[in-house]
Amino acid sequence: MAALTTWESTLKERALAPTQASGRLYTAWLAGLGLVVAWGFVAYIYQWRNGLYATDMRDRISWGLYISAFVFFIGISHAGTLISAILRASNAGWRSPITRIAESITVVSLISGALFVIVDMGRPDRLYQFWLNGNWQSPLMWDMMAITIYLTASVVYLYVPMIPDLAMFRDNLEGRVSRFQMWLYQSLAIGWDNNETQRRSLAKSITVLMVLIIPIAVSVHTVVSWIFAMTLRVSWNSTIFGFFFVSGAIYSGVATLIIVLAVMRRIYHLEEYITPTHFKYLSYLLATMSLVMIYGNASEYITKGFKMTEEDRFAFEQLFAGDFASMYWFYFFGGLVLPALIVAFKPTRTIVGVVIASVFVDIAMFIERYFIVVAGLRVPTMPYEPSSYSPTWVEWSILASGFAGFMLLLTLFARFFPILAVWEMTEERTSDQTSQHDRELEPAP
Amino acid sequence: MIQPKTVAFLGAAGLTLALLAASRSGPVPTLLLGVLVVLGAVPVYLRRSFSAAPVEGGGPGDDNTALRETPVELSSGGSSRREALKRLSMGGAALAIPAAVGAPTVIDMWKAKASDGPATGPSGRTRQWGMIIDLRRCDGCQSQGTAPQCTLACIEGHFAPEPMEWIEAYEAEMAGGGTQFIPTPCQQCQNPPCVSVCPVTATFSTPEGTVLIDQDRCIGCRMCMAACPYDRRFFNWGDPPIPPEAMLADYSVEHQAPAKKGTVMKCDFCPEMARAGTLPYCVQACPNDAIYYGDLEEDIATNGREVVAFSTYIADNNSYRLKEELGTQPRVHYIPGHGELVGRDRFTEGRIATRWPWVERVKGAVTWRR
Ligand code: SF4
Ligand code: SF4
Ligand code: SF4
């Protein structure tokens, strides 16, 4: 039992440490991200004044980088909630050190994603029209509803399992953080003092949320894909789109989770808790999803390509041999095949290897979102010359600021909230020690 | 004792209910609200159950007096909150019903806007506008030495900003070689994909069978542009380049002038002209009388020179509609041809580009490519 106590107190210290993070590099990181975000605001003000004229979107390619970023961010939001809910539901014991980080990625990326829709609107000043005159027939309305529900659900799902850890913060940080922060922990911990009744109702709530959140998450990315699949555009006219988008979302979500875990592990010295085993398991999930994606590609393109209608021919030529060919083949080989190979071979299945694979996956998935949107719109619907699209500095700036905002929010989350599910890890450890099995998660040599 | 928190909560609930009542799309926010309430109930439940818990002593929160006091306050505040939640969701459901059946629909509002109501024919039935374009007589105005005059007239009549061609003469390849011109206004689909995808019903179908856009409501999401299979929707990407006199126009969904930044525009089928008893600009302007406008209900159409029976004329001339297989059911019918009746040689390609008559006068305004 003594061993457990030391273990527990080290864990607590590790979990508390990020609230004290400081140093020149840390400040520089925050300031750098802040600057990029601010630059994005400048670009947005420019766009507000000039209209979407400031972008390179035009009538014939009427969506571009913003909508791609929207789909991408909503996609990586599946990192958290869905993955952690699935792991929780399947009672995978190794999940406890990574769930919190996963869930925070969800909330943060949902916020970033939703903002891109507003950035893309011609009249953001009329957002209230969604409420006043909403049309339930419209896929965009479904999207609005699904994302609002998902954001609420994932905030709640992030918060509820965090209550015991917030109480831990409340009890251990007195005097080490500002009064405001103490007040925050005190109110958010809603009087948790770890008694039996509290533990029972917490467990009950988590179960309810977990069951709710899986269908919500799946529905969100399905309706995101339906923005495209509900139109008569030839490249989007596909029954596989919902499935394809959800798999792509999980795929890029796992990749993002791996990257964020690796970074946080290094910076906050969590090597003891986030172990190579975690990366191994997550990389298996990554490889599985890459195979699913390859299968999805085959299913989608071979069935269409075999019949090759006139419009399909145009779409195929531009995707596989024309303007978008380099993007597609990078996506296919660099983003689907390569990561699967990296994971398949033992010598490359290291943390560094898996992180590299994940970076490839994320880049490739962004590119995939981009060519789905842009190449899909580029197929002429009438006899006119195909249009072109190359994003302007405004679009790039806002995109960069979206990514910077994502990282900034994550950093701030780690600064103010417990990034390790300390109580779950302790519980896990206690039950392990009692039953004397499952040594899997011992730090690897 | 009424807690300030309770007051705040009831206030918020009241505000939500008021918003719901104001909303014309009752079921949607009600559904949304329902799910949000369910999700929000989880932390509320936790708060209640935590505070109801017997304090077993030795807990880490023990040293906190402020928190130990909370149970009393919470159980009363919590129960009234729950009551309120219950009432709120019931109220939402009750409101949804009148909102679904009784609230004015967009069509009602359109009716109210058009002072005379929908145009009716001699039989008293609502007009059903339609168009026939006889491609045998369309030479893209090449013999006139101008850009297609339907396009020019429509632009001038509506102050359509550059580069919008609400009726655009596409030049399409023909199977046997050579090209044909296809003047294409909005097809006024009877199963319009653009209408079903608009999230705020800014695009809507009218009782006369046309599709209009309310630029005072459009949020500029461009979902409709992705949905239209005929490339017939145009966006005001910047400040629209329109002449000063356009600003004098009294905005109406029926003529769309003056154009508004950040909103979508398209051919409106000139309902005002029709109600006033004249023909749309494009029909009037065609030097070859290739465009007929008419009423399917009265079964009549005219190009301004001759009057034909709508149904017989299209049947006798083997008319077709664009992309009929998509099921959009357009109201624009085409009679196949390549300008042969007005002496066009189908191997002479190209046409003169459209020029906006006020380009010189609105110097400094931005224009953009399609
Ligand atoms: S751009 Fe305007 S008209 Fe088109 S779908 Fe969006 S809100 Fe409706
Ligand atoms: S042609 Fe396009 S804009 Fe016109 S009604 Fe049909 S889908 Fe809508
Ligand atoms: S019907 Fe009216 S709006 Fe439509 S193309 Fe003709 S002139 Fe333009």
Side-chain angles (χ1 to χ4, degrees):
Chain A
M1 240 16 226
L4 182 62
T5 332
T6 8
W7 182 84
E8 220 186 315
S9 60
T10 345
L11 172 61
K12 254 188 201 167
E13 269 322 300
R14 283 277 180 265
L16 294 170
T19 58
Q20 313 293 320
S22 61
R24 226 184 276 154
L25 216 61
Y26 187 75
T27 326
W29 167 252
L30 285 182
L33 291 179
L35 270 179
V36 180
V37 172
W39 177 246
F41 270 99
V42 173
Y44 186 66
I45 290 168
Y46 180 84
Q47 176 182 308
W48 180 283
R49 294 177 51 178
N50 291 275
L52 288 169
Y53 178 68
T55 71
D56 196 47
M57 295 185 280
R58 293 296 179 257
D59 288 347
R60 277 165 184 161
I61 298 185
S62 51
W63 285 334
L65 218 49
Y66 297 153
I67 293 293
S68 320
F70 158 68
V71 180
F72 179 77
F73 274 114
I74 302 295
I76 59 175
S77 77
H78 284 50
T81 310
L82 189 60
I83 291 166
S84 97
I86 289 175
L87 294 182
R88 228 184 271 253
S90 59
N91 220 348
W94 57 275
R95 65 152 207 277
S96 32
I98 63 170
T99 44
R100 181 70 39 75
I101 295 177
E103 286 151 16
S104 61
I105 294 177
T106 299
V107 172
V108 164
S109 58
L110 272 179
I111 295 170
S112 318
L115 285 179
F116 272 103
V117 185
I118 297 173
V119 167
D120 186 72
M121 279 169 53
R123 297 300 294 246
D125 52 319
R126 292 179 183 167
L127 201 59
Y128 64 89
Q129 288 288 359
F130 265 106
W131 187 267
L132 220 53
N133 292 298
N135 171 19
W136 59 269
Q137 254 181 325
S138 163
L140 260 188
M141 192 67 198
W142 308 340
D143 237 47
M144 236 281 288
M145 295 203 289
I147 290 172
T148 317
I149 293 169
Y150 190 35
L151 185 59
T152 319
S154 48
V155 169
V156 175
Y157 188 62
L158 171 68
Y159 166 63
V160 168
M162 196 160 65
I163 293 172
D165 295 325
L166 286 165
M168 193 268 285
F169 266 35
R170 174 197 66 195
D171 301 329
N172 290 290
L173 281 176
E174 188 71 63
R176 284 160 77 181
V177 293
S178 68
R179 291 254 304 277
F180 169 73
Q181 253 169 286
M182 279 317 289
W183 171 83
L184 193 71
Y185 301 140
Q186 222 158 61
S187 2
L188 287 180
I190 52 173
W192 173 267
D193 55 12
N194 202 20
N195 64 45
E196 205 33 55
T197 330
Q198 290 187 344
R199 271 203 299 270
R200 248 201 319 272
S201 31
L202 187 73
K204 228 191 296 172
S205 307
I206 293 181
T207 313
V208 168
L209 284 172
M210 177 185 84
V211 172
L212 278 177
I213 212 133
I214 297 178
I216 293 179
V218 171
S219 74
V220 166
H221 225 74
T222 308
V223 291
V224 165
S225 83
W226 285 352
I227 292 183
F228 306 102
M230 291 293 167
T231 67
L232 293 162
R233 301 264 166 175
V234 55
S235 327
W236 298 343
N237 189 0
S238 157
T239 53
I240 207 180
F241 252 45
F243 160 79
F244 212 13
F245 271 49
V246 173
S247 333
I250 300 177
Y251 189 43
S252 57
V254 175
T256 310
L257 179 58
I258 291 178
I259 299 170
V260 174
L261 279 179
V263 173
M264 293 217 172
R265 177 178 189 260
R266 267 299 275 281
I267 293 179
Y268 299 125
H269 309 290
L270 307 175
E271 285 88 350
E272 197 186 328
Y273 313 106
I274 301 172
T275 64
T277 319
H278 287 114
F279 289 93
K280 194 170 88 188
Y281 287 174
L282 284 175
S283 75
Y284 290 162
L285 199 51
L286 194 72
T288 315
M289 290 320 294
S290 88
L291 297 182
V292 171
M293 291 297 288
I294 291 174
Y295 172 72
N297 269 275
S299 176
E300 166 81 355
Y301 293 121
I302 293 177
T303 48
K304 280 188 177 173
F306 186 85
K307 293 164 287 189
M308 203 61 105
T309 64
E310 198 48 51
E311 283 171 309
D312 276 333
R313 179 184 302 278
F314 183 92
F316 270 61
E317 275 168 7
Q318 69 170 3
L319 193 57
F320 298 128
D323 287 13
F324 297 89
S326 50
M327 288 188 195
Y328 182 82
W329 295 116
F330 171 79
Y331 153 76
F332 190 79
F333 287 110
L336 301 182
V337 177
L338 182 71
L341 288 179
I342 291 180
V343 176
F345 294 105
K346 200 149 187 205
T348 48
R349 202 195 303 137
T350 57
I351 294 187
V352 177
V354 173
V355 169
I356 291 176
S358 301
V359 171
F360 269 94
V361 170
D362 266 347
I363 297 175
M365 284 311 293
F366 188 89
I367 290 176
E368 191 223 26
R369 303 322 195 183
Y370 179 86
F371 70 63
I372 285 183
V373 174
V374 177
L377 284 168
R378 188 169 176 270
V379 181
T381 52
M382 294 296 285
Y384 57 78
E385 276 305 302
S387 194
S388 67
Y389 168 68
S390 56
T392 60
W393 69 268
V394 175
E395 291 171 277
W396 288 120
S397 306
I398 293 180
L399 180 72
S401 130
F403 278 97
F406 172 76
M407 292 185 242
L408 187 64
L409 285 177
L410 264 188
T411 318
L412 291 178
F413 178 82
R415 164 109 207 171
F416 292 110
F417 294 97
I419 45 166
L420 290 179
V422 174
W423 69 280
E424 278 190 284
M425 290 166 70
T426 318
E427 234 166 50
E428 192 62 34
R429 174 93 173 187
T430 322
S431 65
D432 272 6
Q433 289 213 332
T434 350
S435 56
Q436 286 301 326
H437 75 275
D438 189 2
R439 310 223 68 61
E440 277 249 63
L441 284 181
E442 284 306 295
Chain B
M1 255 298 278
I2 298 172
Q3 301 285 333
K5 272 184 196 162
T6 319
V7 176
F9 182 80
L10 288 179
L15 194 69
T16 321
L17 282 178
L19 271 175
L20 254 181
S23 161
R24 256 171 242 111
S25 47
V28 178
T30 311
L31 190 74
L32 188 70
L33 200 75
V35 182
L36 295 186
V37 164
V38 169
L39 287 169
V42 173
V44 174
Y45 155 77
L46 275 179
R47 257 191 107 143
R48 275 176 55 79
S49 88
F50 280 12
S51 55
V55 181
E56 280 166 10
D62 234 23
D63 50 351
N64 195 315
T65 29
L67 273 161
R68 250 195 270 135
E69 273 169 14
T70 41
V72 189
E73 175 203 330
L74 271 177
S75 44
S76 64
S79 83
S80 68
R81 198 179 333 241
R82 217 174 41 170
E83 278 303 309
L85 279 179
K86 220 192 278 166
R87 258 180 249 138
L88 182 63
S89 53
M90 265 161 34
L95 264 174
I97 298 157
V101 293
T105 62
V106 183
I107 292 173
D108 298 333
M109 282 156 36
W110 180 84
K111 279 182 187 161
K113 238 179 213 171
S115 45
D116 311 333
T120 47
S123 60
R125 283 176 298 195
T126 307
R127 297 278 195 195
Q128 294 299 322
W129 304 123
M131 195 179 265
I132 308 167
I133 300 180
D134 188 347
L135 299 182
R136 295 171 301 189
R137 281 185 264 169
C138 176
D139 66 350
C141 288
Q142 284 198 85
S143 58
Q144 315 288 317
T146 63
Q149 292 184 16
C150 53
T151 316
L152 295 175
C154 175
I155 288 169
E156 283 200 60
H158 292 91
F159 300 111
E162 190 175 352
M164 300 185 188
E165 295 174 283
W166 294 356
I167 178 164
E168 180 168 355
Y170 290 115
E171 186 167 16
E173 306 272 327
M174 290 198 298
T179 63
Q180 62 176 159
F181 286 107
I182 309 178
T184 316
C186 164
Q187 304 293 296
Q188 311 296 344
C189 307
Q190 296 309 291
N191 178 19
C194 56
V195 170
S196 26
V197 299
C198 177
V200 296
T201 18
T203 285
F204 57 98
S205 297
T206 70
E208 295 170 0
T210 58
V211 171
L212 297 181
I213 307 169
D214 182 349
Q215 278 91 4
D216 277 337
R217 184 185 292 181
C218 171
I219 57 169
C221 63
R222 311 191 294 296
M223 184 76 218
C224 54
M225 301 179 75
C228 172
Y230 302 101
D231 182 41
R232 282 308 71 208
R233 294 188 151 251
F234 309 83
F235 192 68
N236 282 299
W237 294 97
D239 279 312
I242 46 175
E245 61 268 28
M247 292 303 178
L248 298 175
D250 196 7
Y251 171 80
S252 142
V253 289
E254 296 192 343
H255 56 64
Q256 306 172 70
K260 295 187 165 78
K261 179 173 156 186
T263 64
V264 167
M265 302 179 104
K266 70 167 186 67
C267 155
D268 50 37
F269 238 38
C270 292
E272 280 189 332
M273 305 281 278
R275 207 175 295 116
T278 69
L279 290 167
Y281 300 105
C282 56
V283 179
Q284 292 188 33
C286 178
N288 297 329
D289 304 318
I291 311 179
Y292 293 75
Y293 186 81
D295 176 12
L296 296 167
E297 187 60 47
E298 207 188 328
D299 200 14
I300 194 172
T302 178
N303 58 359
R305 182 144 313 182
E306 51 165 348
V307 176
V308 296
F310 205 118
S311 55
T312 346
Y313 195 68
I314 57 176
D316 289 351
N317 292 294
N318 302 310
S319 82
Y320 69 98
R321 293 177 294 177
L322 298 181
K323 304 195 186 185
E324 214 146 358
E325 72 282 4
L326 295 181
T328 49
Q329 301 169 25
R331 273 280 173 88
V332 180
H333 300 258
Y334 288 90
I335 294 170
H338 52 79
E340 64 268 34
L341 290 189
V342 288
R344 173 172 179 258
D345 168 16
R346 64 183 175 280
F347 294 107
T348 328
E349 287 183 20
R351 66 161 172 84
I352 294 158
T354 313
R355 261 176 66 82
W356 273 252
W358 47 78
V359 266
E360 267 81 41
R361 287 193 290 130
V362 284
K363 267 205 202 91
V366 294
T367 59
W368 48 86
R369 62 181 168 79
R370 273 304 301 282

